[in-house]
Amino acid sequence: MMYSKILMPTDGSELANASIQAGIEFAKKVNAKVVGIFVAANYQYPIYIDIIPPNTPTEEEYQAAMRAFGESYLEPARVAAHKEGLEFESVVKFSDAPAKEIVYTAQQYACDLIFIASHGRSGVGQLLLGSTTSKVLSMCDIPVLVHRVKKH
């Protein structure tokens, strides 16, 4: 099966960056377009205090900052894709359910594969920390390629 458009999520971590590089190499082999996505948490209003500190960002300031972070996290993917001659599109979304947003974005952008990193946690570590990758796998109806970065 050939893939024409691949969604690659990132959280800006070293692990995600390594997975993105592997994903770009895979996309090059199948000549696929790449959509990179960063999902930021929704803005949280500080409702737990009586007086909001003056240095608290507004929702607009928070979203602008997170969009800038997201684009900076997606920049290595953009550079790698363009270096390989691949089309690249970046997406920054806001959601408190990143796995759900990743699956929705894959559908919205007509992606036929999600290439996602795995932290390699198992057992109790996976149960306690949760796993966006596992949630994507359980919700998704398109193929998901889970990339595991080998530790040296």
Side-chain angles (χ1 to χ4, degrees):
M1 172 180 239
M2 290 306 216
Y3 302 105
S4 61
K5 192 182 276 189
I6 303 172
L7 183 73
M8 296 184 196
T10 186
D11 60 5
S13 68
E14 188 176 319
L15 175 76
N17 287 339
S19 184
I20 289 281
Q21 293 304 316
I24 296 295
E25 291 171 19
F26 179 81
K28 175 69 174 172
K29 288 178 185 175
V30 299
N31 196 30
K33 297 174 185 174
V34 177
V35 178
I37 182 172
F38 171 75
V39 181
N42 285 323
Y43 180 77
Q44 300 297 317
Y45 293 95
I47 57 173
Y48 54 87
I49 54 178
D50 292 332
I51 300 173
I52 298 173
N55 61 346
T56 301
T58 65
E59 184 172 3
E60 293 78 20
E61 291 168 336
Y62 168 80
Q63 287 186 348
M66 294 312 293
R67 283 189 196 288
F69 279 126
E71 290 297 338
S72 71
Y73 294 156
L74 290 163
E75 187 59 22
R78 178 188 314 282
V79 169
H82 286 162
K83 183 178 175 186
E84 296 296 337
L86 300 172
E87 287 184 40
F88 182 86
E89 193 170 353
S90 64
V91 180
V92 176
K93 297 279 189 122
F94 292 87
S95 176
D96 290 329
K100 190 174 183 180
E101 193 62 46
I102 289 166
V103 172
Y104 173 74
T105 301
Q107 295 166 346
Q108 184 182 24
Y109 282 77
C111 296
D112 45 19
L113 177 72
I114 298 174
F115 192 103
I116 191 168
S118 171
H119 288 277
R121 294 185 187 107
S122 61
V124 176
Q126 186 177 14
L127 290 173
L128 292 175
L129 298 171
S131 170
T132 299
T133 300
S134 292
K135 291 175 185 172
V136 166
L137 283 167
S138 70
M139 285 189 243
C140 205
D141 59 356
I142 65 167
V144 178
L145 195 157
V146 179
H147 178 256
R148 268 194 133 152
V149 177
K150 296 176 185 169
K151 294 182 181 179
H152 297 288

